């Protein structure tokens, strides 16, 4: 519903659906500018629930809680894409909501994301959509070896299985519960990157520079900004593609598009998040305007200021694994040593139960140059007992072929 274009001044209450760390950092950013924040989240101890003035402890489809959110809030956003569509539509009819339910619905579903990329002419991985109960025997042999991904609800590599050949497909589909899936060809990745951007109700658009992302076991391990392997051509192509996606969705709010860069130099879109993204957390400490500030600015119709990056950064995710020693006994990481490091910005999300693979916080290492940020992050890895990343982002990766057909074969000019 296109309404709510008037500026909402500080003092108003903004609502957020979802109470994880993204909601917490959104709330902290909005609160620092004088906005109140209400969160809808069932978990009493959730990261965002700890910091917001109003916590509606209910499910995302609770009619009373949704009604209160609509009455208390001047505008509402999401920190989590898997909010039921019916709840978003109900809210959209009553209170300014950004992003729109239709944008969120597309980002909830890998099959719809792929269809959007195809419609917009943004290259993505060769794939096939396998609907629940459909015959998978006709799948193109060229998609193997592949990765079978549930169309919905996957995150941090969950809901994905490698499939070596067509004969393994039925068992893989069964293992994922027989739900709608997308089979993607396994690609020969040189590296990964993402573009975080914001778009206002008036179509004004600002973009951060792409960051280079290193995943381990399907989970983001580190983000580098600037990325050692990202050429200006790849950066421009990724920003153009992200801009085209935002414009194609008539998107309002903060959006992230993840990309793969293949060893042959091609840039392919991977997936879209209709919200700030883990890879953009460094912007809190490295830029004049963070991704969370842009989220509330887009929501209250304040000008979207173009961010200027003042520091080079490497962001390290702090997973629950760090809270366990080699023998599996729980311990506390050596925060005193981390905090003694100049340029190290510690962000912990207030999660009480560390579990392996659980995102407990992140550490952003800022410095005057990319090399210094990299050295600082390697030092932090040594303190925390993290496997260093020396070879995985080697600068030699920057020597890659230009993407076929030039860099601006698709995409729409974006206003910056
Ligand atoms: P999630 O929702 O878990 O982030 P992704 O589709 O982004 O799901 O997959 C997680 C990670 O797995 C990616 O960032 C990438 O490292 C790897 N991956 C996913 N798809 C492919 C692919 N088709 N080829 C090679 N690696 C892939
Ligand atoms: Mg991903």
């Amino acid at each position: 519903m296109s309404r709510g274009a008037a500026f909402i001044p500080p003092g108003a209450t903004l609502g957020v659906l979802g109470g994880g760390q993204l909601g917490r950092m959104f709330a902290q950013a909005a609160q620092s500018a004088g906005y109140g924040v209400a969160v809808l989240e069932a978990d009493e101890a959730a990261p965002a629930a700890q910091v917001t003035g109003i916590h509606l402890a209910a499910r995302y489809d609770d009619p009373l809680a949704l009604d209160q959110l609509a009455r208390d809030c001047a505008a509402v956003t999401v920190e989590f894409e898997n909010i039921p569509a019916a709840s978003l539509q109900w809210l959209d009819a009553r209170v300014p909501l950004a992003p729109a339910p239709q944008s969120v619905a597309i980002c909830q579903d890998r099959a719809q994301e792929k269809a959007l990329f195809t419609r917009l002419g943004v290259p993505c991985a060769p794939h096939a959509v396998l609907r629940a109960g459909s015959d998978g025997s006709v799948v193109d042999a060229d998609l193997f070896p592949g990765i079978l991904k549930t169309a919905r609800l996957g995150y941090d590599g969950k809901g994905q299985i490698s499939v070596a050949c067509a004969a393994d497909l039925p068992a893989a589909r069964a293992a994922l519960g027989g739900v709608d899936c997308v089979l993607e060809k396994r690609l020969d990745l040189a590296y990964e990157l993402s573009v975080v951007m914001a778009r206002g109700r008036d179509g004004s658009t600002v973009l951060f520079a792409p960051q280079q992302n290193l995943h381990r076991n399907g989970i983001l391990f580190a983000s580098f900004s600037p990325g050692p392997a990202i050429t200006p051509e790849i950066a421009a192509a990724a920003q153009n593609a992200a801009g085209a996606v935002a414009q194609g969705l008539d998107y309002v709010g903060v959006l992230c598009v993840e990309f793969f860069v293949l060893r042959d130099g091609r840039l392919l879109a991977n997936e879209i998040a209709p919200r700030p993204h883990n890879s953009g957390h460094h912007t809190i400490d490295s830029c004049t305007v963070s991704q969370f500030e842009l989220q509330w600015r887009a929501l209250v119709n304040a000008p979207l200021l173009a961010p200027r990056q003042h520091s080079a950064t490497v962001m390290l995710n702090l997973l629950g694994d760090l809270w366990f020693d080699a023998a599996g006994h729980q311990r506390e990481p050596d925060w005193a040593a981390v905090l003694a490091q100049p340029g190290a910005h510690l962000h912990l999300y207030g999660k009480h139960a560390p579990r392996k693979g659980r995102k407990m916080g992140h550490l952003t290492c800022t410095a005057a140059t990319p090399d210094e940020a990299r050295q600082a992050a390697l030092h932090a890895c040594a303190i925390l007992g993290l496997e260093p990343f020396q070879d995985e982002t080697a600068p030699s990766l920057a020597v890659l072929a230009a993407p076929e057909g030039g860099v601006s074969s698709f995409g729409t000019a974006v206003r910056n």
Side-chain angles (χ1 to χ4, degrees), residues 165-230:
C165 59
D168 293 348
L169 190 57
R173 293 177 78 188
L176 290 178
V179 296
D180 290 352
C181 283
V182 173
L183 175 69
E184 266 179 51
K185 187 178 174 69
R186 178 175 285 284
L187 301 163
D188 189 14
L189 308 187
Y191 64 93
E192 298 180 60
L193 60 86
S194 57
V195 174
V196 176
M197 60 174 295
R199 189 166 180 275
R201 281 180 206 282
D202 60 358
S204 61
T205 299
V206 293
L207 299 101
F208 292 98
Q211 46 274 323
Q212 188 174 334
N213 301 326
L214 175 61
H215 291 81
R216 289 184 182 165
N217 305 317
I219 305 179
L220 184 67
F221 173 76
S223 287
F224 302 77
S225 182
I230 302 175

Side-chain angles (χ1 to χ4, degrees), residues 215 258 270-271 277:
H215 291 81
E258 295 179 22
N270 173 24
E271 60 174 350
H277 192 260

Side-chain angles (χ1 to χ4, degrees), residues 241-274:
V245 167
Q247 190 159 323
L249 289 170
D250 194 17
Y251 192 85
V252 180
V254 169
L255 174 82
C256 176
V257 185
E258 295 179 22
F259 295 89
F260 299 137
V261 179
L262 308 191
R263 290 203 181 271
D264 64 11
R266 279 183 297 150
L267 177 76
L268 302 183
N270 173 24
E271 60 174 350
I272 314 168

Side-chain angles (χ1 to χ4, degrees), residues 73-95:
C73 298
V76 175
T77 188
V78 302
E79 67 106 44
F80 173 61
E81 51 270 43
N82 294 312
I83 305 290
S87 298
L88 294 173
Q89 279 151 10
W90 191 91
L91 282 171
D92 190 42
R94 287 162 181 83
V95 61

Side-chain angles (χ1 to χ4, degrees), residues 4-16 22-38 74-79 96-99 196-201 206 208 251-255 274-276 283-284 288-305:
F7 173 61
I8 300 169
T13 297
L14 306 177
V16 58
L22 299 172
R24 178 182 174 104
M25 289 183 272
F26 163 76
Q28 290 167 332
Q31 286 164 342
S32 75
Y35 291 93
V37 178
V76 175
T77 188
V78 302
E79 67 106 44
L97 177 74
V196 176
M197 60 174 295
R199 189 166 180 275
R201 281 180 206 282
V206 293
F208 292 98
Y251 192 85
V252 180
V254 169
L255 174 82
R275 51 169 171 77
T283 61
I284 298 173
T288 49
V289 186
S290 76
Q291 60 172 351
F292 299 103
E293 176 162 351
L294 288 177
Q295 188 180 17
W296 68 252
R297 280 178 174 266
L299 199 58
V300 305
N301 304 303
L304 297 180
L305 300 180

